[in-house]
Amino acid sequence: MPMKRIATGAALAAGGLAVTALAFAPSAAAVTPTTATVTASCGIFGGGTATLTATQSGTSATLTLTSSAITTPLALSANSIASTLTMANSTGANRVFSGTVNPAMAAGSPVTVGPLPGTVASGDSLDFYKGSLKMVIFGVTVTCTSSAAQSPGPFVF
């Protein structure tokens, strides 16, 4: 009988420790909103509505820009656009997301760049407005900017 009490007591203690560990574990960070709409002007690529999609894992985040209004004038192979997406941060320094991630695109196709990796801090409030997207394609730099805040609002990390 005493052995059963010891085993039961040990199980209860282990369960209590597990619950305590969960209570003190850091919560998973989640960006809100996960998508936002911007109106961008991109020179020879055109301009119009674009969608930004954000993901977050701790201090690592990615942003992807897709637009059927912004098109590529040339056929582009996968991972051939060097992209730098600078997001204005109302709580501190601007955040930069960069990389060479894009699908293959035929001439006249909608533009997609990303997911572009970057680093964020808790509380960052990022908006494409007053930021920019620079794409280097065949040595030519195309810069996209916006004249209005993104909707429904900035990405908050």
Side-chain angles (χ1 to χ4, degrees):
M1 227 30 170
M3 191 61 135
K4 187 174 182 180
R5 281 189 191 165
I6 291 171
T8 302
L12 288 173
L17 286 174
V19 168
T20 302
L22 286 174
F24 290 107
S27 60
V31 59
T32 57
T34 55
T35 61
T37 303
V38 299
T39 301
S41 175
C42 301
I44 63 170
F45 272 43
T49 302
T51 300
L52 284 168
T53 304
T55 64
Q56 178 183 8
S57 178
T59 60
S60 297
T62 63
L63 289 176
T64 302
L65 180 137
T66 57
S67 177
S68 57
I70 303 165
T71 58
T72 176
L74 307 166
L76 299 171
S77 60
N79 305 322
S80 62
I81 302 173
S83 301
T84 303
L85 177 60
T86 302
M87 299 290 285
N89 183 4
S90 67
T91 62
N94 288 350
R95 299 296 181 191
V96 177
F97 299 81
S98 61
T100 54
V101 181
N102 64 273
M105 295 176 265
S109 293
V111 167
T112 296
V113 294
L116 304 173
T119 302
V120 295
S122 180
D124 277 355
S125 181
L126 306 183
D127 197 317
F128 184 73
Y129 177 57
K130 297 188 180 178
S132 66
L133 171 63
K134 291 185 181 178
M135 299 177 285
V136 180
I137 304 141
F138 302 123
V140 175
T141 300
V142 175
T143 302
C144 300
T145 58
S146 181
S147 58
Q150 65 191 39
S151 176
F155 294 117
V156 178
F157 293 89

